[in-house]
Each structure stands twice: as structure tokens, then as C-alpha cells.
Amino acid sequence: MIRTEDIRKLSEFRQNATTHLDRLAKSGRVEVLTVNGEAKGVVMSPKTFDDLAEKAFQAEVAVKIKRGMEEIEAGQGIGSFQAAQEIAAEFGIARDK
């Protein structure tokens, strides 16, 4: 959640970049940078970015698993043996039957 105290002018950030970056590293929060009152960028620590990227990846995987389960329940899936055969054929891998 972005709080009003996390919204800063870009000019303010430029003047005190190290202070801002140190605060972000300690707090784990983000800052929205504005130009003429309009949001123009978001700054966060590398750890905050990594945590956010990991959460996004996990959410994406969860959606794919849910979609796969729904397809299986609807009878749209294929068995693991058939899937392995199709993958092997696509990549030119010889398989024992």
C-alpha cells in the first residue's frame, strides 16, 4: 500500500538520493516520485524488488496450476505418458515405449 508519506518530488529525491535509498533499504517500502504532481516513477530497494518479483512469480504459478486443474476437471487434459511422448517428439528425443 502506498501512503502519502511515500510520495516524493523527484527534485527532493535527487537532492537526497542516498538518504532516500538508505530509508527504503531499512523500511522495505517504496517511494513514488512525482514531477509537477504527477507520478513518474517508483523507487524501492533491491530486496523489496526481489520479494515483489517472487510473490508475482508464485501468483503466476498458482494461476497456472488452478487453470490446469480446471482443465483436468473438464476432461481437457492429457495423461502424463502422452504428454511425455509429445514433448519428446517436439524436441527430437528418442523414447522407449
Side-chain angles (χ1 to χ4, degrees):
M1 180 173 115
I2 303 294
R3 299 181 180 138
T4 55
E5 64 260 25
D6 296 329
I7 301 171
R8 309 284 178 153
K9 295 177 182 177
L10 179 59
S11 58
E12 177 188 334
F13 181 85
R14 283 184 187 158
Q15 292 171 356
N16 302 301
T18 302
T19 302
H20 287 269
L21 294 174
D22 289 344
R23 183 177 56 250
L24 293 173
K26 289 177 186 171
S27 71
R29 296 180 46 184
V30 302
E31 283 187 3
V32 176
L33 303 179
T34 65
V35 176
N36 296 324
E38 184 179 342
K40 292 291 185 175
V42 177
V43 181
M44 65 186 78
S45 72
K47 182 182 179 330
T48 301
F49 175 81
D50 290 344
D51 292 347
L52 184 60
E54 179 63 25
K55 288 176 184 176
F57 174 75
Q58 290 174 356
E60 184 179 322
V61 169
V63 167
K64 289 179 180 180
I65 290 170
K66 184 176 186 269
R67 186 179 310 132
M69 296 298 291
E70 290 169 351
E71 289 175 2
I72 289 170
E73 289 173 4
Q76 298 172 343
I78 61 173
S80 60
F81 182 76
Q82 182 181 348
Q85 284 182 314
E86 290 180 14
I87 292 169
E90 182 177 337
F91 292 99
I93 301 169
R95 287 188 32 95
D96 295 334
K97 293 192 178 193

